[in-house]
Amino acid sequence: MSLKLCFIGAGNLATHLATTCSKAGLEIVQVYSRTEDSAKLLADKLNTAYTTQTSSLVNYADIYFVALKDSAVEQVLSGIEFGDKLVVHCSGSLPLNVLSRFAKNHGVFYSLQTFSKNRKVDFRKIPIFIEASSEENLQILKEIANTVSESVTVLNSEKRKSLHIAAVFACNFANHCYAMAAKYLETKDLPFEILRPLIMETASKAQEMHPKQAQTGPAIRFDENIINAHLNELTEMPDLQELYNSISKSIFAHHQKKQ
Amino acid sequence: MSLKLCFIGAGNLATHLATTCSKAGLEIVQVYSRTEDSAKLLADKLNTAYTTQTSSLVNYADIYFVALKDSAVEQVLSGIEFGDKLVVHCSGSLPLNVLSRFAKNHGVFYSLQTFSKNRKVDFRKIPIFIEASSEENLQILKEIANTVSESVTVLNSEKRKSLHIAAVFACNFANHCYAMAAKYLETKDLPFEILRPLIMETASKAQEMHPKQAQTGPAIRFDENIINAHLNELTEMPDLQELYNSISKSIFAHHQKKQ
């Protein structure tokens, strides 16, 4: 493939995706970001050009990857002339057709992963979900996706949105549970580090077991002795107490129902 | 060490701990469980004797490990004559002194991990927290703990209870987030398996980063477009909708506060 890519956006996702594409031999011809620091940082990593003005976007890229937060996509794209170039967004939640008024040829390239700056991820293991306005565009995205990942699936906008909701639970909410544990331990002068093997094993179990079968702890059978003692301990942290109560009730309800 | 151990309880924890002790060269002389099936199953694994009557417990073990659910401990131990033998419970929540009326020499051996039957765990990586009624008893527990794990810490009952609460958040509640994701995906005919790399990366990030710094997703800045769209999608699953709402608010509040 001798495709030329342009990245609109230079955040966590853009950084990981663009560097992965570049290493895989795809040519990144330009990076756009509203802030010069971000644009320059990513462009330097890729050894390519950058701009902070959409009016200065190159017109010779084959594909424009839009890796912006959802709420910025329409605003940033307004006024750009894409002609018949392929414009692709990377969002879990936005439907394919948000792009139809900007470009005839459009698509979606959603990487199901949590990206943080300065943390390497192995893109080959990241499931990628693609969708496009035509079979031809879909083939182009499939080729790019197969270049960077072992797991590529065609998925429509409706299912991708569902997947994104599930990902919020499995990733963002699970991580918040870690964060609440850390917050509580801090008040008790205990280090968060001691929970790390437990966190790793909990995730490892979910690689092989269904999480319902893997569930342990006092909430499954609503062990009131332990639960009430814990709620009592959390009196001075009402936010944690409320979460403890509502999640415990949800666990119990989930294990009461026949599966 | 030529210590003789007796296990009171034959559930997940007892099974993992007893087999680990046995492989490490400690002698398990008997297993007790209320149900014959459980008692026999574990005793056979250990190639040792079993009983379903506390009145038939051997009197020549050096240490009696009580690995029962919290609510059963006092009831099962009532009426057993332990003399000056060392009696040790394995609970995160029960204080050391619940054992004082049953045995002069007593202690706690808490393994901070989630155990499921038929799933192997590497005990050497499991942090163990010990406490005992005397320095001598503590030394005995320390020796046993060091035989099976690389991470052994002396911790009092108050701090152990705090640790257990944090573990409920980091493990039980995080796993429930996976379970809710799985439940939602089922209704959309999407397989839970596609979330596994994301779950693994979320836990892996927490091995190196503080979970507050690792947090991603729409709730940090309370992206109302995405959050409201997701809540709307969850209308037919009010239990998930409620959890989504309360955890999202908690994430936002946590990231508003100065750290």
Side-chain angles (χ1 to χ4, degrees), chain A residues 132-149:
Chain A
S133 57
S134 73
E135 187 55 36
E136 197 188 334
N137 293 327
L138 194 65
Q139 287 310 317
I140 295 171
L141 292 185
K142 202 176 271 182
E143 249 188 278
I144 297 177
N146 283 327
T147 306
V148 296
S149 169

Side-chain angles (χ1 to χ4, degrees), chain A residues 125-193:
Chain A
K125 302 295 173 197
I126 299 177
I128 294 177
F129 300 89
I130 56 172
E131 185 182 13
S133 57
S134 73
E135 187 55 36
E136 197 188 334
N137 293 327
L138 194 65
Q139 287 310 317
I140 295 171
L141 292 185
K142 202 176 271 182
E143 249 188 278
I144 297 177
N146 283 327
T147 306
V148 296
S149 169
E150 291 164 3
S151 166
V152 180
T153 310
V154 178
L155 200 73
N156 68 31
S157 293
E158 192 58 32
K159 293 225 168 188
R160 190 175 59 253
K161 195 204 241 184
S162 302
L163 186 54
H164 187 228
I165 291 175
V168 167
F169 276 92
C171 167
N172 305 154
F173 291 178
N175 186 72
H176 188 57
C177 294
Y178 310 157
M180 293 296 94
K183 181 182 173 182
Y184 179 67
L185 287 179
E186 272 161 33
T187 69
K188 303 292 177 181
D189 280 327
L190 285 164
F192 172 70
E193 289 70 35

